[in-house]
Structures are given as C-alpha cells and as structure tokens.
Amino acid sequence: MNSVKQKVILNRVEAALATPAQESSFSVYELLILLRALTDHQPALAEQLFLHFWSPSANATPAHPLQAYQLCQGIAIGEYSRNQRFQGLSSADLGQALQLRQRLQTLLDPETSGVLILSEENISQNELLGLQTLWIQNVENLSALAAAAGLDTEEISLQLEMLIHESNHQFWSVDSGPYLLLPSIRGHNTSSSPLQYLPQWANIPDQDHAEDMLIQLRTTTPPWTKPEDTSWVSATTLLIYEGLQHYEMHKAAQELKSYLYRHCYNKQDNRLHTCISLAFA
C-alpha cells in the first residue's frame, strides 16, 4: 500500500476512534478486523481501538439492546496480548474480563442451553448466528488466556464445549449445508448471508461439516457464482477467509481474498475499503 493511501485510511480509523464503540459507524466485525490489522501495522492506533472493547461502559452488564462489541472482550484481549510491543494486561484485567463473561452468561443463557437468548424482537436468525459465533470465539480466547495465566479453566472449558456442541446441534442444517437456525430457535427467517458461514472462523464445525460448507460456498454464493455481485464484500467475508485457512482450504481462501480485494478498490471511500485494505496490507 502506498504511503498516501495508507495515510488516508489511517485518518479514517483515527476519526472512528473518536467515537464510542456503541455509536461507531463501524460494525463489530469491522472493528475486529481493524484491531487485528492495526496490531500488526499501527500498534499505537491498535491500543486506542482496544479501548473500544475495554472501557467502563463495556464492562458493565449490558442493558437492552445488547451491544455486540460487549461479546468480544476476549477476542480483543487475544489480539492485544499477541503483540509483544504492548505492555500486556494485568491479572486484574483478565479477571475483570472473566467476570464479565460470567455475567453475560447468566444474562444471555440463563438456562445454560448453549444458545444465546436475546430480547430484541427484530433480530434476524443470521444476526443471532453471528452473535453466537462471536460469543464462542470470545469464550475460546478467554479460556486460552486463563490457561496461560495458570487459572482454573474447568468451568469455562465445559462452557465452550457445550456452546460448540449446541451450535452444531441446533444451528446446522442437514438439508442445505451451511449453518441455519431451525424453526425452534427464535428469530425471523432471512435469506442466505455470509453470517451462515462465519462458524468456520470460530472453529465450530468439524472437518466433515466444513467440507460440506465449502461445497455450498462454491456452488451457491456470489464470490463464486456471481463474481461481479458485491453483496458479499464485507468484514464478515474476510473472517470467512480466515476460517477457510483454519481448515487448510487455502485455494478457496485465496479465491475469496481475490474477490474481496478486487471489489474493495472499486469503492475507495468507505469503511470496507479501510478494513480490507489494512487487513491485506
């Protein structure tokens, strides 16, 4: 990326950082992509962005409606901690994040069903699946961080195991391949969405399900069937790219990267261009 273009992009990021996370024009998926990219390329800005996930308001039990970024503290901490240039988090910080996880668990899954229960009337099934995936990735990161800190992880490990099991049991569609919500799960039906393939990013499907999802991706979704369709140019799709890499589906990952890279430069002045350009810098 040339220096002029990078400066324009970073100026957009700095403007976004001046806005509280709950009021940001960036989606939670875009913020996560930016956090990862900035950790590698602009650590000073990454530290500022980290505060979007680590603020007094984020650590309070969320009121209605739930802010998605509140499900992501563990993901943010994981990104923050992997960069040795940062001073790192104290044990008190990690303890605070683990306590928030327990409060959210009680609030969002009071019956320990393994599926988030949200009160928002207008949330779509795909949006609920996206939040479920974020939550699982969050719990997985916190479990790994707790283990690295020498803390007891039995309870959180059991929670993670249950979340993955119930997601595969209640969200997997035997007939169509990608993750869908069954009629028993609350939420109105929506059309096909990148969120249906997001579970690969959080390592939720087993290898057989992941391979079924790959077939569906290549035969039914715009990046392969309608490559000029830009409806899948999104931060969520970039996370799917990472998910394909998790399952060593490198050829498909590169094909998806090419789709994103080609289209993001056709829309120079938008948030997606900022996210995708930094991610592939």
Side-chain angles (χ1 to χ4, degrees), residues 47-279:
E47 290 192 82
Q48 294 180 50
L49 182 55
F50 177 75
L51 296 177
H52 269 52
F53 298 91
W54 195 259
S55 62
S57 61
N59 290 320
T61 300
H64 175 85
L66 175 71
Q67 300 292 340
Y69 73 93
Q70 293 171 310
L71 300 176
C72 300
Q73 273 198 353
I75 305 172
I77 293 170
E79 288 300 323
Y80 185 90
S81 299
R82 72 184 175 86
N83 193 316
Q84 298 301 314
R85 289 172 290 186
F86 298 156
Q87 294 181 351
L89 298 167
S90 68
S91 57
D93 291 330
L94 178 56
Q96 188 176 358
L98 290 169
Q99 289 174 9
L100 177 63
R101 177 198 64 85
Q102 290 178 322
R103 294 199 300 272
L104 287 171
Q105 173 70 21
T106 301
L107 178 70
L108 300 176
D109 188 13
E111 298 181 2
T112 320
S113 67
V115 175
L116 300 184
I117 300 174
L118 303 180
S119 59
E120 286 83 346
E121 294 293 336
N122 295 323
I123 190 169
S124 72
Q125 294 187 357
N126 288 330
E127 288 170 332
L128 178 55
L129 176 57
L131 294 176
Q132 175 86 2
T133 302
L134 286 173
W135 181 236
I136 289 174
Q137 185 66 63
N138 187 67
V139 172
E140 182 174 0
N141 278 31
L142 286 173
S143 179
L145 288 164
L151 302 178
D152 182 6
T153 60
E154 181 178 3
E155 186 270 334
I156 194 172
S157 296
L158 287 173
Q159 181 195 5
L160 179 61
E161 182 178 340
M162 179 189 64
L163 285 166
I164 291 175
H165 176 270
E166 291 302 323
S167 293
N168 281 314
H169 176 65
Q170 299 194 51
F171 288 74
W172 178 257
S173 172
V174 175
D175 295 329
S176 62
Y179 283 80
L180 295 169
L181 288 178
L182 302 181
S184 61
I185 303 296
R186 185 177 182 180
H188 59 267
N189 291 321
T190 52
S191 58
S192 178
S193 161
L195 289 171
Q196 293 176 261
Y197 297 87
L198 190 61
Q200 282 188 312
W201 169 65
N203 299 299
I204 295 172
D206 60 25
Q207 189 65 35
D208 287 342
H209 279 175
E211 290 175 1
D212 288 343
M213 293 171 75
L214 178 60
I215 293 172
Q216 289 293 319
L217 272 171
R218 281 181 155 160
T219 58
T220 67
T221 65
W224 283 273
T225 63
K226 298 177 181 178
E228 298 310 313
D229 184 336
T230 61
S231 61
W232 271 50
V233 180
S234 68
T236 308
T237 304
L238 187 49
L239 294 176
I240 295 170
Y241 159 78
E242 293 181 5
L244 290 170
Q245 291 181 312
H246 292 167
Y247 291 87
E248 298 185 350
M249 298 171 176
H250 300 300
K251 186 175 186 296
Q254 288 303 310
E255 292 166 353
L256 194 56
K257 177 180 178 179
S258 296
Y259 166 82
L260 287 169
Y261 203 76
R262 180 173 69 254
H263 286 300
C264 84
Y265 281 100
N266 292 332
K267 298 182 178 181
Q268 294 282 331
D269 190 23
N270 61 23
R271 300 188 314 274
L272 290 176
H273 175 255
T274 300
C275 297
I276 295 171
S277 296
L278 280 175

Side-chain angles (χ1 to χ4, degrees), residues 23-40:
E23 300 173 10
S24 175
S25 59
F26 285 82
S27 72
V28 67
Y29 304 105
E30 291 166 343
L31 289 172
L32 288 172
I33 290 296
L34 285 174
L35 181 61
R36 174 168 298 182
L38 291 171
T39 298
D40 292 330

